[in-house]
Amino acid sequence: MKKLLTSPSKMKLSDSENVSYQNILKLVPEISLNLMAVKVENHPNDFASWCEELLDVCQNRINFSLLEEKQLPTVKKMALQLQQAITLQQLKMLRIAPWPVLSSFIINKAETLALNEQLALMQYIAQIKQQTLTVMIEEDRLAFAGKHVPNHDPAIYKFDVEWFCSTKTAKGFHCALEAAPEKLDAALSHIPLEGDVTEAQYLSFVSDYLAAFVGLEDDKATLAPATRLLAMRRPDIFTALSQPKLELLSQALGYTKLHNRDFKRYWSDIVQTIKNTPWFNSAIPEDPQEFDLWQIRALLPSMFFYSDQQHADNSNYIKSLSKPKSAKTKVNLDRGQKRSQESAEILVDRALAADDIPTHIKAMRDSITAEVVKGRSVNETIALMRTIFG
């Protein structure tokens, strides 16, 4: 273990890598005895692999039963710093890597990235983004905006809507979305659905986006929710990132910290920098899976942040599928929030359009819709109808 801990001192570290290494070393003394008890046979020669080895020690090989309670935060903090260091190493690939390297990295990590889910979300968004936020049903509007609610029935929304920048904590943004979606529509109307996007068009979006918050109790228009809207409209141009991720991406691309209201620098430092990378300007790939990635290529940087199986399992969609049911819910269908008649009809029609739905179940559309209006799950309502009527 001692050899592992000291080996980066013999590597040629960049300034940022050296800072990460020194910050990690500062945490070692408090848990040194616990670390020394771990047998290490792998001694990597590069910093990224070193971080992965030590992270595995912190997460899987250290004896947690021998740790004092006061030491647990130190282990957690060290793991977090190692994850951030790995993220920076991966994000730096974005500067020079060609398309084959980038796409291979993502496809090889498909399971921990929940790649199929993320692609399913973007395919769904592609189907609804021609509509305005104003006319979308509430579930679709929140799917576009990045906030999961219980009414996102897993029978219809077969993905976590919060991939690519969750906005669930952006209270001011959701106040604007609920109070005046037409103002956010006005902002998005400046961004064409295809073709190039100019800086003038982007700045017009920013102007109207900021105007949507005027007069609200929480009138602070922050950058992250704006990047979510932009990226859902044009995933081939705009990168959707939460504030912590914006900071790490800026650092990896060689820029100073991007703050949560740096709308101008988001365009110059993030959008334009990514737009000028070799992989972004590659030829359209022929492989179907790579083509799906290429169509949303401005979103790909978010897939270079550290991920593991826990990251994939934390999906709201996966949680909704595995949610334990009490004895009561085995008899009575789970209830979510009540839906509007319009929302219920749209969701039921989507579910009934499936090829495996028999004609006699489709004939019960009105009865199923009535139950869904009450807040019951579309999937389980149909399942109950199947059970009763065969």
Side-chain angles (χ1 to χ4, degrees):
M1 175 57 71
K2 184 177 180 181
K3 181 180 178 181
L4 177 70
L5 292 174
T6 58
S7 59
S9 62
K10 301 176 183 178
M11 301 176 189
K12 292 183 179 180
L13 302 181
S14 67
D15 290 343
S16 61
E17 289 171 344
N18 190 54
V19 169
S20 296
Y21 176 51
Q22 295 303 322
N23 287 336
I24 292 165
L25 280 185
K26 290 176 183 177
L27 300 173
V28 169
E30 189 171 344
I31 55 173
S32 58
L33 292 178
N34 306 82
L35 289 174
M36 294 301 171
V38 178
K39 185 177 180 180
V40 176
E41 296 180 353
N42 181 33
H43 296 89
N45 294 319
D46 63 278
F47 188 63
S49 300
W50 179 85
C51 290
E52 291 174 356
E53 180 70 16
L54 187 55
L55 178 60
D56 184 63
V57 170
C58 291
Q59 292 179 328
N60 304 312
R61 289 145 61 187
I62 198 169
N63 192 333
F64 282 89
S65 64
L66 297 179
L67 285 169
E68 297 179 23
E69 187 173 348
K70 65 179 182 179
Q71 293 176 307
L72 291 174
T74 301
V75 176
K76 184 177 180 180
K77 186 175 181 180
M78 180 178 286
L80 180 61
Q81 290 193 2
L82 287 164
Q83 290 172 9
Q84 290 180 343
I86 293 169
T87 292
L88 285 172
Q89 295 295 309
Q90 293 175 169
L91 286 173
K92 287 179 180 178
M93 292 171 58
L94 298 172
R95 294 185 183 183
I96 57 173
W99 174 260
V101 172
L102 236 71
S103 59
S104 296
F105 175 87
I106 294 170
I107 292 170
N108 289 338
K109 293 179 69 68
E111 186 175 349
T112 59
L113 287 171
L115 183 59
N116 289 339
E117 243 194 84
Q118 297 200 43
L119 291 175
L121 166 61
M122 295 313 302
Q123 289 162 2
Y124 187 88
I125 294 296
Q127 296 171 8
I128 67 172
K129 69 179 181 180
Q130 297 273 359
Q131 304 176 42
T132 62
L133 295 169
T134 305
V135 303
M136 286 181 188
I137 61 173
E138 182 183 15
E139 290 86 349
D140 282 354
R141 185 161 56 245
L142 291 176
F144 192 94
K147 181 182 179 181
H148 172 79
V149 293
N151 280 355
H152 280 125
D153 195 311
I156 309 299
Y157 301 91
K158 299 179 180 180
F159 43 78
D160 186 350
V161 305
E162 293 184 3
W163 292 118
F164 306 115
C165 179
S166 168
T167 64
K168 64 181 180 182
T169 61
K171 294 182 180 179
F173 169 69
H174 283 285
C175 284
L177 185 64
E178 183 176 352
E182 70 279 359
K183 293 183 178 180
L184 294 175
D185 281 327
L188 284 170
S189 69
H190 296 292
I191 307 299
L193 285 168
E194 56 185 24
D196 196 19
V197 177
T198 67
E199 183 177 10
Q201 289 169 325
Y202 168 73
L203 292 177
S204 295
F205 162 85
V206 173
S207 178
D208 281 354
Y209 176 79
L210 296 176
F213 290 77
V214 175
L216 298 179
E217 183 177 349
D218 187 348
D219 61 354
K220 293 181 180 179
T222 53
L223 177 60
T227 70
R228 168 69 186 210
L229 293 182
L230 288 165
M232 294 302 100
R233 188 167 178 88
R234 290 298 302 273
D236 58 332
I237 300 291
F238 295 101
T239 304
L241 291 168
S242 60
Q243 183 56 33
K245 289 186 175 181
L246 277 167
E247 294 174 7
L248 283 172
L249 182 58
S250 297
Q251 185 178 345
L253 295 177
Y255 295 102
T256 55
K257 180 179 177 180
L258 195 66
H259 296 286
N260 65 0
R261 293 173 70 86
D262 281 340
F263 288 92
K264 289 185 178 180
R265 286 188 54 221
Y266 169 72
W267 173 265
S268 60
D269 294 4
I270 304 297
V271 176
Q272 292 302 299
T273 300
I274 289 175
K275 190 177 181 180
N276 290 323
T277 57
W279 57 269
F280 189 93
N281 293 288
S282 68
I284 299 175
E286 296 181 0
D287 178 80
Q289 189 173 24
E290 288 191 30
F291 179 70
D292 289 341
L293 293 173
W294 188 84
Q295 286 186 303
I296 61 168
R297 58 194 182 280
L299 292 178
L300 301 189
S302 66
M303 299 183 185
F304 283 75
F305 288 80
Y306 175 81
S307 64
D308 54 21
Q309 193 57 50
Q310 184 179 7
H311 171 80
D313 294 342
N314 216 28
S315 156
N316 285 308
Y317 170 65
I318 297 298
K319 289 178 179 178
S320 66
L321 290 178
S322 58
K323 184 178 180 182
K325 301 188 184 306
S326 65
K328 183 177 180 180
T329 58
K330 291 179 181 178
V331 180
N332 299 314
L333 299 180
D334 288 340
R335 291 181 179 271
Q337 300 174 0
K338 289 186 177 181
R339 294 182 173 91
S340 68
Q341 181 73 22
E342 180 188 16
S343 293
E345 288 177 350
I346 291 174
L347 296 176
V348 169
D349 286 343
R350 289 175 185 171
L352 293 180
D355 294 337
D356 64 339
I357 303 295
T359 303
H360 70 281
I361 297 295
K362 292 182 179 181
M364 299 176 186
R365 175 184 181 273
D366 292 344
S367 297
I368 296 171
T369 300
E371 295 302 319
V372 174
V373 167
K374 298 174 185 177
R376 287 176 171 168
S377 159
V378 177
N379 204 32
E380 291 191 80
T381 304
I382 293 175
L384 180 64
M385 295 298 185
R386 282 177 179 269
T387 301
I388 295 173
F389 298 103

